[in-house]
């Protein structure tokens, strides 16, 4: 009897406890809501059009239960309905979407609004405080150190690696002839191989299965981070830690960090052993010194990209040539190790790891998606593919010789095809910033309040009819000089723009030209799926949720005109 009473008493107090907790929680939320309503964030945020927000949740429920491909559609629908500036509330968090080039320039061209939004924090366990995420003095000093390692003279020394790996992938793709296959698997593999070699110095001979495991791990990590973006309960660390995703993430990070640490360790050992023996390894600067003085020959003003990107002021085009020469800069990882060892730059082994991981992530999935889209689109638009091939035939004839840097400068039509692909299917479909200060934009003179997250909708801007006559039609001529010269520079920002633009832009364009031209000299691509049936998923990197499925057939090496 006494036991029963005790249990009843327990139920009673447990019920009471639950009741009071609920009351407290509800009053807390009501207070929070009232406070939010009085805040400047709320006042200024609600001057901007957007869907009706419900108390506490805001508009967060719009994303509930949606698949990534559905989220893309929802996002685009709202942009269509509310115009170039749209606001949404994720709980108490204000998110403002900008889809107009003039407004976007205000943010991207600024040296003040350079802080990334909290969404990037999901990358932290992986990339730490690497260039993509870091801010303030750390970002500035690392950017200053890293940008010159992507100098065009250094990139030219990678031509051999680009060629060899492109040849390797052509050989691998031979087994796919006659089948329908997902070309992204091949593009992902070759991209990792190239990055391992150019950024970390691991060659195919020295790498083992770890390269493949690494590529797989990177893709799966992107998927987990993406889930954390749109499943809002996974945003909370204390919930995330109790889900299977966390366990999986720990395993994947072991693979990724395991490889990076291994490479850094072995490079450092080699560096120290060489130094002890008095051997100073040749610097990339020395390897590229055969480039004639004063020849800033990206073919410079001659490439299509040079004209297209010239108004997006970043630090990639404004490096003092002499400065690079005098300081004898090395490749990315070598430079980092040397800097750390010689005390030239205050960078720790841990920071080196963060930067290497960042380059491997940023350089990998973006180019893999970009090249896969190009091959699919050419598979759909056979007339455009024929023009690309004719240009290649003019440069190479039916020879199998490797691509030279000068050849890439002549690939004007292929370059326009790549740029048009990056316009319609930008691998990074949105960029987000957290505002530290209020900022006034041009559209309706809206003031975006400090504390808001600004999302720059690259995908949407690239398809804005204000800037492109037929925005949903794949037309490489959009990048003819007569069409680019009067267009707003910020209407084409696949690599972002301004001080925080992509440091690997020139690397990516050069690599894409070598890789794609080598594939297209050997195969014709065919897509049985028309472009309007491509299903896009708004992953961190824009991809096709239906896979990048194509067929290939070996090339008959004659120009298209000879076939008629
Ligand atoms: C088609 C290929 C590529 C595209 C479309 C692309 C796009 C971008 C974009 C949009 C950003 C800005 C992201 C943001 O602000 O949130 C960015 C940053 C960055 N990218 Fe790329 N990228 C590409 C290739 C590469 C390659 C090949 C590398 C290196 C090998 C690279 C390294 C980086 C780094 C380190 C940053 C951070 C820069 C900073 O914040 O200072 N990217 N990229």
């Amino acid at each position: 009897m006494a036991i029963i009473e005790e249990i009843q008493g327990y139920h009673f107090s447990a019920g009471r406890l639950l009741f009071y907790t609920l009351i407290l929680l509800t009053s807390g939320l009501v207070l929070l809501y009232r406070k939010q309503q009085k805040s400047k964030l709320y006042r200024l945020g609600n001057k901007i059009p957007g869907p009706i927000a419900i108390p506490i949740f805001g508009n967060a429920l719009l994303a509930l239960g949606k698949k990534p491909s559905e989220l893309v559609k929802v996002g685009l629908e709202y942009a269509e309905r509310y115009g170039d500036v749209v606001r949404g509330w994720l709980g108490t968090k204000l998110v403002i979407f900008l889809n107009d080039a003039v407004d976007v320039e205000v943010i991207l061209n600024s040296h003040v609004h350079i802080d990334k939004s909290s969404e990037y924090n999901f990358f932290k366990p992986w990339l730490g405080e690497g260039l993509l995420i870091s801010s303030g003095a750390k970002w500035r000093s690392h950017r200053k150190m890293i940008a010159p390692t992507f100098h065009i003279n250094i990139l030219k020394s990678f031509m051999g690696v680009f060629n060899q790996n492109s040849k390797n992938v052509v050989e691998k793709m031979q087994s796919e002839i006659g089948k329908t296959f997902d070309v992204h698997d091949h593009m992902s593999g070759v991209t990792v191989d190239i990055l391992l070699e150019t950024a970390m110095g691991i060659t195919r001979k020295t790498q083992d299965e770890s390269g493949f495991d690494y590529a797989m791990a990177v893709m799966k990590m992107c998927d987990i981070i993406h889930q954390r973006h749109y499943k809002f309960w996974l945003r909370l660390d204390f919930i995330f830690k109790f889900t299977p995703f966390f366990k999986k993430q720990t395993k994947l990070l072991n693979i990724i960090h395991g490889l990076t640490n291994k490479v850094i360790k072995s490079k450092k050992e080699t560096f120290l052993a060489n130094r002890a023996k008095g051997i100073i390894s040749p610097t990339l600067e020395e390897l590229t010194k055969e480039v004639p003085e004063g020849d800033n020959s990206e073919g410079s003003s001659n490439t299509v990209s040079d004209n297209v990107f010239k108004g997006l002021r970043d630090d990639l085009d404004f490096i003092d040539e002499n400065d690079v020469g005098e300081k004898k800069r090395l490749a990315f990882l070598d430079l980092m190790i040397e800097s750390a060892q010689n005390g030239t730059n205050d960078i720790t082994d841990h920071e080196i790891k963060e930067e290497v991981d960042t380059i491997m992530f940023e350089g990998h999935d973006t180019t893999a998606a970009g090249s896969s889209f190009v091959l699919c689109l050419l598979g759909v638009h056979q007339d455009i593919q024929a023009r690309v091939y004719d240009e290649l035939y003019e440069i190479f004839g039916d020879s199998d010789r490797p691509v030279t840097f000068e050849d890439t400068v002549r690939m004007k039509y292929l370059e326009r095809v790549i740029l048009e692909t990056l316009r319609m299917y930008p691998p990074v479909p949105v960029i987000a910033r957290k505002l530290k200060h209020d900022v006034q934009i041009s559209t309706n003179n809206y003031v975006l309040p400090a504390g808001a997250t600004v999302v720059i909708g690259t995908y949407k801007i690239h398809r804005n009819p204000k800037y492109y006559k037929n925005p949903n039609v794949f037309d490489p001529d959009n990048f003819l000089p007569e069409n680019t010269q009067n267009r707003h520079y910020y209407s084409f920002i696949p690599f972002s723009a301004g001080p925080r633009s992509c440091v690997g832009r020139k690397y990516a364009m050069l690599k894409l030209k070598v890789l794609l031209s080598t594939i297209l000299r050997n195969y014709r691509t065919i897509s049985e799926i028309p472009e309007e049936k491509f299903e896009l998923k708004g992953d961190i990197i824009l991809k096709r949720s239906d896979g990048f499925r194509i067929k290939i057939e070996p090339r008959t090496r004659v120009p298209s005109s000879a076939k008629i």
Side-chain angles (χ1 to χ4, degrees):
M1 193 58 185
I3 293 172
I4 291 170
E5 271 169 16
E6 232 175 72
I7 291 173
Q8 274 174 347
Y10 169 78
H11 273 309
F12 176 69
S13 48
R16 269 234 298 243
L17 194 68
L18 187 68
F19 174 74
Y20 287 128
T21 312
L22 277 175
I23 293 274
L24 258 172
L25 205 68
T26 316
S27 331
L29 286 174
V30 169
L31 280 176
L32 188 74
Y33 181 60
R34 289 230 171 110
K35 191 169 165 235
Q36 182 210 10
Q37 280 189 310
K38 284 187 198 144
S39 70
K40 190 169 86 175
L41 191 81
Y42 188 82
R43 209 170 17 85
L44 291 175
N46 275 348
K47 288 193 174 159
I48 298 168
I52 293 169
I54 57 169
I56 311 300
F57 293 103
N59 306 110
L61 299 181
L62 289 174
L64 200 66
K66 299 266 186 326
K67 285 195 268 175
S69 54
E70 292 168 332
L71 276 180
V72 172
K73 280 184 199 137
V74 172
L76 293 174
E77 260 169 43
Y78 279 103
E80 210 57 55
R81 196 177 310 165
Y82 293 101
D84 287 338
V85 186
V86 187
R87 69 100 191 99
W89 291 97
L90 285 181
T92 53
K93 182 175 163 157
L94 173 62
V95 186
I96 301 165
F97 298 83
L98 297 184
N99 297 317
D100 181 274
V102 181
D103 296 334
V104 165
E105 181 174 7
V106 176
I107 305 292
L108 290 185
N109 199 20
S110 151
H111 284 263
V112 178
H113 311 299
I114 58 164
D115 292 330
K116 298 294 174 79
S117 75
S118 58
E119 279 72 17
Y120 289 74
N121 289 342
F122 301 139
F123 285 105
K124 270 206 174 145
W126 177 7
L127 308 181
E129 288 277 330
L131 210 53
L132 181 70
I133 303 171
S134 60
S135 197
K138 181 169 181 176
W139 170 76
R140 247 176 274 277
S141 77
H142 284 203
R143 171 95 190 187
K144 214 167 150 196
M145 195 184 340
I146 290 166
T149 67
F150 285 88
H151 187 276
I152 198 71
N153 287 352
I154 290 163
L155 301 186
K156 282 179 187 172
S157 74
F158 294 154
M159 286 298 289
V161 180
F162 293 162
N163 269 302
Q164 185 55 52
N165 283 281
S166 304
K167 213 172 136 225
N168 293 347
V169 81
V170 163
E171 274 164 28
K172 279 190 194 156
M173 284 166 71
Q174 219 160 26
S175 64
E176 309 282 11
I177 293 172
K179 301 178 198 161
T180 299
F181 67 102
D182 190 333
V183 75
H184 186 268
D185 296 343
H186 289 282
M187 293 305 102
S188 190
V190 66
T191 305
V192 174
D193 281 352
I194 291 176
L195 271 170
L196 285 171
E197 209 165 331
T198 53
M200 297 217 243
I202 317 178
T203 63
R204 197 138 237 294
K205 285 185 203 113
T206 54
Q207 68 160 279
D208 40 37
E209 273 303 294
S210 53
F212 179 76
D213 293 345
Y214 179 92
M216 284 297 148
V218 165
M219 275 188 273
K220 289 177 188 160
M221 264 306 291
C222 284
D223 188 49
I224 292 178
I225 293 173
H226 184 62
Q227 306 247 16
R228 294 196 73 183
H229 279 145
Y230 72 92
K231 291 184 178 158
F232 63 89
W233 61 95
L234 289 180
R235 288 168 165 253
L236 307 167
D237 275 339
F238 68 89
I239 295 182
F240 176 68
K241 282 197 172 139
F242 290 102
T243 64
F245 291 112
F246 180 70
K247 261 198 191 151
K248 203 169 151 194
Q249 170 168 303
T250 312
K251 238 168 117 184
L252 296 171
L253 289 182
N254 279 339
I255 298 173
I256 294 174
H257 290 158
L259 183 69
T260 329
N261 283 329
K262 193 172 93 179
V263 178
I264 293 174
K265 190 165 168 270
S266 92
K267 277 240 156 195
K268 198 168 150 187
E269 279 165 8
T270 313
F271 178 88
L272 293 174
N274 282 346
R275 193 163 67 177
K277 286 187 230 153
I279 303 168
I280 308 294
S281 49
T283 64
L284 275 184
E285 215 296 307
E286 282 160 356
L287 291 173
T288 54
K289 81 177 166 208
E290 268 155 46
V291 177
E293 273 283 73
D295 175 18
N296 176 24
S297 54
E298 227 175 314
S300 16
S301 49
N302 296 336
T303 69
V304 180
S305 301
D306 276 329
N307 288 328
V308 170
F309 294 120
K310 74 171 180 243
L312 301 178
R313 270 159 287 161
D314 52 33
D315 48 5
L316 301 177
D317 294 313
F318 301 94
I319 295 161
D320 181 350
E321 301 288 316
N322 301 321
D323 187 36
V324 173
E326 276 163 25
K327 287 186 186 151
K328 291 191 187 270
R329 290 202 168 94
L330 307 176
F332 172 65
L333 180 53
D334 297 308
L335 170 92
M336 290 275 178
I337 289 174
E338 185 172 69
S339 292
Q341 292 302 312
N342 295 342
T344 332
N345 276 298
D346 192 13
I347 183 160
T348 63
D349 279 3
H350 184 71
E351 286 173 329
I352 293 178
K353 183 181 86 63
E354 292 175 341
E355 296 302 355
V356 172
D357 283 332
T358 300
I359 297 258
M360 291 299 293
F361 160 67
E362 272 288 338
H364 162 227
D365 228 10
T366 45
T367 26
S371 50
S372 303
F373 270 118
V374 171
L375 293 172
C376 289
L377 286 162
L378 290 180
V380 172
H381 303 281
Q382 290 295 329
D383 51 333
I384 294 176
Q385 186 171 177
R387 259 186 90 179
V388 170
Y389 184 71
D390 286 354
E391 179 181 78
L392 295 177
Y393 191 84
E394 222 178 286
I395 300 171
F396 299 99
D398 60 3
S399 96
D400 246 340
R401 72 171 174 80
V403 182
T404 64
F405 183 79
E406 287 64 36
D407 293 331
T408 64
V409 178
R410 292 177 64 196
M411 296 175 188
K412 304 234 184 276
Y413 191 65
L414 176 60
E415 190 166 354
R416 293 211 292 274
V417 166
I418 297 171
L419 296 176
E420 177 67 350
T421 305
L422 298 179
R423 177 185 77 81
M424 291 194 69
Y425 302 95
V428 182
V430 293
I431 300 167
R433 293 277 191 279
K434 173 101 180 202
L435 294 184
K436 266 193 184 156
H437 306 275
D438 294 356
V439 51
Q440 185 165 35
I441 54 170
S442 152
T443 302
N444 293 338
N445 290 327
Y446 287 133
V447 176
L448 316 184
T453 295
V454 172
V455 177
I456 291 157
T458 310
Y459 179 95
K460 192 75 188 134
I461 296 167
H462 287 184
R463 289 180 184 236
N464 193 328
K466 252 197 281 189
Y467 309 118
Y468 300 92
K469 236 190 274 161
N470 295 307
N472 296 318
V473 175
F474 184 75
D475 179 9
D477 288 353
N478 274 321
F479 291 93
L480 281 171
E482 57 268 35
N483 293 329
T484 56
Q485 64 198 6
N486 294 325
R487 204 158 50 214
H488 196 288
Y489 285 126
Y490 283 72
S491 62
F492 184 62
I493 48 167
F495 296 101
S496 184
R500 276 214 97 146
S501 69
C502 173
V503 87
R505 187 187 84 220
K506 293 185 177 193
Y507 174 110
M509 288 305 293
L510 189 60
K511 191 203 92 167
L512 283 172
K513 284 202 223 165
V514 177
L515 175 66
L516 292 167
S517 65
T518 308
I519 294 173
L520 293 165
R521 281 162 73 195
N522 285 282
Y523 302 115
R524 181 166 80 91
T525 68
I526 302 145
S527 167
E528 283 164 354
I529 305 154
E531 207 187 325
E532 58 279 9
K533 293 255 168 73
F534 286 7
E535 274 184 35
L536 301 181
K537 66 172 170 177
D539 225 318
I540 301 157
I541 302 297
L542 187 76
K543 292 196 191 136
R544 284 178 62 180
S545 54
D546 56 336
F548 291 89
R549 282 174 297 145
I550 56 165
K551 277 188 176 170
I552 50 171
E553 64 180 36
R555 278 263 170 217
T556 331
R557 297 238 174 116
V558 283
S560 60
S561 53
K563 288 185 201 149
I564 302 164

